[in-house]
Amino acid sequence: MEFKNAPASVNLEEGNRQHEYMEKVKEIIAEKTRKTGKKPTCCVTTFGCQMNAKDSEKLVGILQEVGYEVIDSEEADFVIYNTCTVRDNANQRVYGRLGQLQYYKKHKPSMKIALCGCMMQEPSVIEKIKKSYRQVDLIFGTHNIFRFAELLYKTLTSDEMVIDIWKETDKIVESLPVERKYSFKSGVNIMFGCNNFCSYCIVPYVRGRERSREPQEILNEIRNLAEDGVKEVMLLGQNVNSYGKNLDTPISFAKLLTEVEKIDGIERIRFMTSHPKDLSDELISVMKNSKKICRHLHLPLQSGSTRVLTRMNRRYTKESYLALVEKLRSEIPDLALTTDIIVGFPGETPEDVDDTIDVIRKARFNNAFTFIYSKRTGTPAAAMEDQIPEEEAQKQFNRVLEAVLKTAQEQTGMLKGLVKDVLVEEINEHDASLVTGRLSNNTLVHFKGDTSLIGHIVPVRLTEAKGFYYLGELV
Ligand code: 5AD
Ligand code: SF4
């Protein structure tokens, strides 16, 4: 019942409709503010990837627009969890924290609890929440996040649990407010969804088919960001290398990058994520000749064993991955490579893991996010018979981690002693006399400095290499 098909008529006018709902919610919030003498508070908690972080900025944009005060504490008047379901532990964390939220709500019954994001696209999750988490007021999914203003209105004017989940959408709604977390850098969605169906992955089921934004919409957004003082953009998509293929007027990702490069004010361009099977020579050449595209590529390996890669439906081999890395290294010698690796995929043997470790050594990754395989209901890998016991997976995971740490330290250390540009992002979390920033190749650098440096690109001598990061001195 809740899993509706998206209305056929969703289009750009949808943006206007949502602005009308924002006006209605504004009145409700203004009334609450008048009554209590202070703005009601809201808190947005994000689980998962950069795409979710970007979606949360859209939620915060709307909440601020209608008059909420955004706070970090979950003892707020409106709390929303933007969830992730890529691995089961992400789901478990949400359930754990929901328990705590329900406790807050007992003491403050006027509080509203909302859930959205990837986890909500799974019917079994909705059933569980309806049964065991009755305090939840609003649930929506990934395809109708642009209807948040309307759903917020319904929630604030009803005592029932509001549930609105769509199976799919082929539309993209532009022109809604966004509240950026950083003033000097911003993620920019260039596409949504994924068509790859890697056999372990739930993303194509919860984020739907690939849809690219029109290049003009993307470029206009980036021009506006640049005018607003943004220096670094991160182009976001599950598989950016296939950007633009399905547009009415197709355009390649490499071509989009050359257009972004022309925008004055933008000094650094990043993108995420690349699928090795789609990484073109055109892209390598554009990166090589670019002054703005950062010297970093996140290129998920998943496994170094061709046998496992085939079962994962990754559509490349150990050899073709390594050949691609060689090509990248010879064309762009200062490129930092990072990756994702899954250990414990069904049927994976210690010999398969040897292959993964072999690729880690040969590819010389600067960093690798290593995950233990998590069985996701509905994916082809979940139905495979030879699932690996937890202890065995953990044993192999430790071997992989050891190999990663070694190459990461070696690779990161290579710039020691050099002076490199750093975009300063924030005051160091642990030591307020330090600031933290990033090199073009994405490595973190900590050095003495103050808030006046935040948002500036400054030259820093990399005095000490500390595994995954550097300590440095402003020059
Ligand atoms: N189990 C473990 N890791 C997974 N990933 C995706 N699906 C799963 C799963 N079922 C990892 C992949 C992907 C990253 C975002 O999450 O490595 O690149
Ligand atoms: Fe998942 Fe594969 Fe798509 Fe990445 S490319 S989101 S791992 S299906």
Side-chain angles (χ1 to χ4, degrees):
M1 159 72 177
E2 291 87 18
F3 279 73
K4 297 172 200 155
N5 285 313
S9 62
V10 177
N11 55 36
L12 286 180
E13 280 160 34
E14 178 69 33
N16 295 337
R17 216 170 90 86
Q18 293 308 311
H19 280 283
E20 282 168 23
Y21 274 104
M22 273 182 245
E23 290 308 312
K24 290 190 193 185
V25 180
K26 257 186 210 170
E27 285 171 25
I28 299 174
I29 300 298
E31 182 58 30
K32 282 188 198 288
T33 307
R34 261 194 303 275
K35 271 197 188 140
T36 60
K38 64 178 180 56
K39 281 180 164 191
T41 54
C42 71
C43 177
V44 178
T45 303
T46 311
F47 299 81
C49 65
Q50 310 248 12
M51 302 282 260
N52 264 18
K54 182 73 201 178
D55 281 349
S56 288
E57 290 187 352
K58 297 175 187 173
L59 300 172
V60 172
I62 290 171
L63 287 163
Q64 271 190 341
E65 172 76 19
V66 298
Y68 276 99
E69 186 190 340
V70 183
I71 59 170
D72 274 341
S73 158
E74 290 186 356
E75 288 174 79
D77 297 299
F78 183 90
V79 177
I80 181 162
Y81 283 175
N82 186 7
T83 63
C84 168
T85 187
V86 76
R87 286 170 291 277
D88 187 54
N89 53 11
N91 292 38
Q92 295 314 322
R93 274 174 50 216
V94 167
Y95 289 131
R97 289 179 61 165
L98 256 185
Q100 177 69 24
L101 269 193
Q102 301 214 100
Y103 171 80
Y104 289 150
K105 187 164 176 173
K106 252 195 207 137
H107 294 90
K108 186 161 113 177
S110 65
M111 175 183 185
K112 296 279 184 187
I113 301 178
L115 300 171
C116 68
C118 295
M119 201 175 144
M120 301 305 129
Q121 293 295 139
E122 290 181 90
S124 61
V125 168
I126 305 300
E127 286 315 310
K128 180 162 174 163
I129 292 167
K130 284 207 291 196
K131 206 164 129 239
S132 311
Y133 297 91
R134 295 292 316 158
Q135 304 290 325
V136 171
D137 299 284
L138 167 63
I139 305 177
F140 59 99
T142 55
H143 301 302
N144 55 346
I145 183 166
F146 60 82
R147 287 231 166 140
F148 178 51
E150 179 176 350
L151 294 167
L152 185 59
Y153 176 76
K154 286 193 177 148
T155 306
L156 294 174
T157 52
S158 141
D159 287 329
E160 303 281 297
M161 191 188 277
V162 177
I163 305 181
D164 192 20
I165 315 277
W166 296 2
K167 270 198 289 200
E168 258 294 359
T169 185
D170 58 354
K171 297 295 188 294
I172 295 168
V173 178
E174 305 282 354
S175 87
L176 294 175
V178 177
E179 180 62 31
R180 282 185 283 111
K181 195 169 166 196
Y182 296 95
S183 60
F184 52 88
K185 68 169 189 175
S186 178
V188 175
N189 295 117
I190 64 165
M191 60 197 303
F192 303 92
C194 181
N195 287 350
N196 285 319
F197 290 95
C198 300
S199 66
Y200 50 82
C201 185
I202 202 163
V203 168
Y205 306 90
V206 296
R207 285 267 172 187
R209 295 295 65 71
E210 238 169 65
R211 285 150 284 142
S212 295
R213 282 176 78 196
E214 287 294 335
Q216 279 321 321
E217 296 283 357
I218 297 168
L219 296 169
N220 283 341
E221 180 177 339
I222 299 176
R223 278 185 207 110
N224 288 337
L225 289 170
E227 273 173 25
D228 227 19
V230 167
K231 292 190 174 136
E232 178 179 300
V233 285
M234 162 85 89
L235 309 183
L236 296 171
Q238 300 294 350
N239 180 16
V240 293
N241 301 108
S242 66
Y243 168 78
K245 285 186 183 154
N246 298 324
L247 286 170
D248 290 343
T249 313
I251 166 177
S252 68
F253 177 56
K255 183 78 179 58
L256 178 73
L257 282 171
T258 55
E259 293 302 313
V260 177
E261 175 112 14
K262 291 178 193 159
I263 298 175
D264 286 338
I266 297 299
E267 295 182 40
R268 285 183 167 188
I269 305 167
R270 300 186 183 278
F271 54 85
M272 183 141 219
T273 288
S274 294
H275 195 304
K277 79 175 165 59
D278 295 319
L279 199 135
S280 66
D281 288 349
E282 186 195 11
L283 176 65
I284 298 176
S285 143
V286 166
M287 280 185 87
K288 177 180 175 170
N289 296 314
S290 166
K291 300 246 173 335
K292 297 185 179 176
I293 301 175
C294 289
R295 284 348 201 189
H296 172 223
L297 189 67
H298 186 66
L299 195 64
L301 167 68
Q302 313 300 4
S303 167
S305 153
T306 299
R307 196 183 70 84
V308 174
L309 286 169
T310 308
R311 284 165 55 97
M312 286 178 161
N313 192 30
R314 289 291 288 176
R315 287 170 280 174
Y316 53 84
T317 62
K318 175 183 181 183
E319 289 71 28
S320 67
Y321 186 94
L322 282 172
L324 178 59
V325 168
E326 275 318 304
K327 188 158 42 170
L328 284 161
R329 292 234 182 265
S330 68
E331 293 291 320
I332 315 168
D334 54 348
L335 186 71
L337 271 181
T338 57
T339 201
D340 291 341
I341 293 169
I342 297 176
V343 181
F345 184 81
E348 188 180 61
T349 63
E351 291 71 38
D352 291 319
V353 178
D354 289 344
D355 270 331
T356 300
I357 291 173
D358 190 39
V359 177
I360 293 169
R361 290 190 180 134
K362 290 185 170 137
R364 290 174 278 130
F365 295 118
N366 274 56
N367 202 352
F369 300 97
T370 308
F371 308 107
I372 290 190
Y373 166 75
S374 170
K375 186 173 170 178
R376 308 314 288 130
T377 310
T379 61
M384 292 180 184
E385 279 175 4
D386 34 9
Q387 304 284 321
I388 305 284
E390 178 76 34
E391 321 80 78
E392 174 60 17
Q394 187 64 52
K395 211 164 93 190
Q396 300 302 331
F397 176 87
N398 294 343
R399 288 175 63 208
V400 170
L401 205 60
E402 206 179 301
V404 167
L405 284 173
K406 190 156 185 293
T407 64
Q409 266 169 1
E410 285 164 10
Q411 282 304 112
T412 305
M414 284 170 70
L415 301 178
K416 189 177 159 192
L418 301 179
V419 174
K420 291 277 172 193
D421 281 345
V422 173
L423 171 56
V424 182
E425 297 194 342
E426 56 208 354
I427 295 289
N428 185 289
E429 270 181 29
H430 306 289
D431 180 347
S433 71
L434 302 178
V435 288
T436 297
R438 270 171 214 278
L439 300 178
S440 164
N441 82 4
N442 211 37
T443 308
L444 286 174
V445 184
H446 310 290
F447 61 99
K448 283 252 177 288
D450 58 36
T451 48
S452 67
L453 293 173
I454 292 176
H456 293 278
I457 297 178
V458 292
V460 175
R461 185 177 304 283
L462 308 174
T463 47
E464 261 185 85
K466 293 269 190 189
F468 292 102
Y469 64 90
Y470 285 103
L471 295 180
E473 280 164 11
L474 190 63
V475 293

